[in-house]
Structure formats: C-alpha cells, structure tokens
Amino acid sequence: MNTYDVSRRTFLLASAGLAVTKLVRAKTAQPLTAGQVIDRIKANVGIPWRAQTVDNIIAGTAETPVKGIATTMMATLDVAQRAAAAGKNMIITHESTFFSHQDRTDNIQQDATYQYKLDFLNKNKMAVFHFHDHWHG
C-alpha cells in the first residue's frame, strides 16, 4: 500500500480543482429536452405506455430544452407564471391544461382566456406535459 504525505493546503487546492471541473462540465452539458424527460418517465412509470392516451405534450415541443421542471395537479395560469418566475420551463400536470380532459382546443381557438394562457406559455418557451392516464396505471 502506498501512502502519501499531503498537506492540508494541497488537499484543499486539489478538492477545489475537482469541484470547479465538475461545475464546468455540468455547465457545458446539453440540457435535456422535454421529449427526453418524457422518455425517462415512459421508461420508469412501471406500466406499458398506451398508444391511445391523453398523456401528451400540450404546449411547446419535444425539442424544448428543459431548464427546470414544475409538477402540479393543474397547470393554471398562476402555476405557469410561478414556474416561469422560478426559472422552470416544463410543467408536468395531472389535469388538462386547456379546460377539457382531451385538451382539444379546436372549439376555443377564439377564447381570450385560452389565447392569453397559450401566448404566455409560448412567450416563455414552456413545454406542458399532460400526465394523467399513466399516473392512474
């Protein structure tokens, strides 16, 4: 067994160097996309993923780079605003985002509330994932 006589100063400098290296590496790593987050959920949810489901991206795209994730029972405008203020741009919600279980928006395209919420999500480059069916199993 080899032993080395290392001073406290050398040990601290080496530790600081390792910590900085880890931080630099973390900052240069590519962020996960919303699609990659969803793929991880699918791989670990514990049941087979159904072909027919409401569990879909409702706003944003699978390519949205994720800065932070908020989880909520219901993705209200208030929740979206608080998530954006906290630097989170992906919301995983249990209930629908746009007022119907299926998140169909064809009949509310002209609705001012729908438009305001959608504009907020788009302006803040947010992805919303409706995660309902597989939550219940």
Side-chain angles (χ1 to χ4, degrees):
M1 177 162 110
N2 294 331
T3 59
Y4 300 96
D5 190 18
V6 178
S7 71
R8 221 179 301 172
R9 178 174 294 168
T10 303
F11 177 77
L12 289 173
L13 287 172
S15 298
L18 288 172
V20 168
T21 300
K22 185 176 180 181
L23 286 174
V24 168
R25 200 173 320 140
K27 290 200 181 254
T28 60
Q30 292 289 347
L32 289 174
T33 64
Q36 290 169 318
V37 170
I38 294 166
D39 287 344
R40 288 184 179 192
I41 291 170
K42 288 178 178 181
N44 292 287
V45 75
I47 60 173
W49 202 260
R50 298 179 196 144
Q52 291 292 331
T53 178
V54 298
D55 296 358
N56 293 301
I57 294 177
I58 304 306
T61 68
E63 292 76 32
T64 301
V66 176
K67 298 175 188 172
I69 301 170
T71 58
T72 185
M73 188 61 152
M74 193 169 226
T76 63
L77 178 61
D78 178 60
V79 168
Q81 291 169 330
R82 288 188 289 142
K88 297 174 179 166
N89 71 329
M90 182 173 187
I91 299 173
I92 300 174
T93 182
H94 179 67
E95 295 299 337
S96 62
T97 305
F98 294 117
F99 326 116
S100 75
H101 179 66
Q102 299 295 325
D103 271 310
R104 298 217 165 117
T105 59
D106 46 331
N107 63 338
I108 59 170
Q109 291 292 311
Q110 304 308 314
D111 182 83
T113 303
Y114 163 76
Q115 274 301 322
Y116 188 86
K117 187 175 184 181
L118 183 62
D119 289 346
F120 179 85
L121 295 169
N122 289 335
K123 182 177 82 173
N124 288 282
K125 296 179 174 68
M126 298 182 89
V128 178
F129 177 57
H130 185 189
F131 184 55
H132 186 274
D133 291 346
H134 292 89
W135 174 273
H136 292 291

